[in-house]
Amino acid sequence: QVQLVESGGGLVQAGGSLRLSCAASGRTFSNYAMGWFRQAPGKEREFVAGITASGAGTHCADSVKGRFTISRDNAQNTVSLQMNSLKPEDTAVYYCAGSNTPSYSETPQRWDYWGQGTQVTVSA
């Protein structure tokens, strides 16, 4: 059974940084793409960043490009999201997502596994 467990959320002031981590178990981690999504109250879940199975390909949403970086450690079965220059509009529950394919998608419905989410709150 695939499990994804996020950690690293919290409260930070605008301009600050946080690093989210996701530990995966239950299958061969290095065969599948991983991603991060977020959902703010009253809004739909939106794509933040994705990374291919090998880690060679990454993509971030325009709203976070230049501020957030996704990475993975296939030896440790973890994927991370480094978030810099945080803004109040980044406030949301952040979810780690796992695919059943080597490549990522920006569409939430195309992802197969989800973590429980971790709250990120950015104060003005």
Side-chain angles (χ1 to χ4, degrees):
Q1 183 177 356
V2 177
Q3 286 191 317
L4 303 176
V5 180
E6 302 101 334
S7 60
L11 173 65
V12 64
Q13 288 187 332
S17 298
L18 280 175
R19 185 177 180 87
L20 305 183
S21 293
C22 173
S25 62
R27 63 175 183 173
T28 305
F29 181 75
S30 59
N31 288 350
Y32 306 104
M34 297 294 294
W36 288 94
F37 286 75
R38 67 186 181 186
Q39 189 166 18
K43 294 188 176 181
E44 294 186 351
R45 190 168 297 192
E46 65 172 357
F47 173 82
V48 176
I51 187 166
T52 58
S54 68
T58 63
H59 175 64
C60 289
D62 288 344
S63 59
V64 305
K65 198 166 291 183
R67 300 187 297 121
F68 290 12
T69 303
I70 187 171
S71 61
R72 67 189 294 160
D73 184 338
N74 284 345
Q76 298 294 324
N77 290 359
T78 58
V79 59
S80 298
L81 185 68
Q82 179 65 43
M83 305 185 294
N84 298 329
S85 302
L86 282 161
K87 305 175 181 179
E89 51 263 44
D90 294 319
T91 295
V93 177
Y94 283 70
Y95 295 91
C96 176
S99 174
N100 273 336
T101 71
S103 58
Y104 51 77
S105 167
E106 295 192 21
T107 306
Q109 291 78 8
R110 293 190 177 183
W111 292 80
D112 302 282
Y113 305 101
W114 296 90
Q116 81 286 354
T118 185
Q119 177 71 46
V120 171
T121 303
V122 185
S123 62

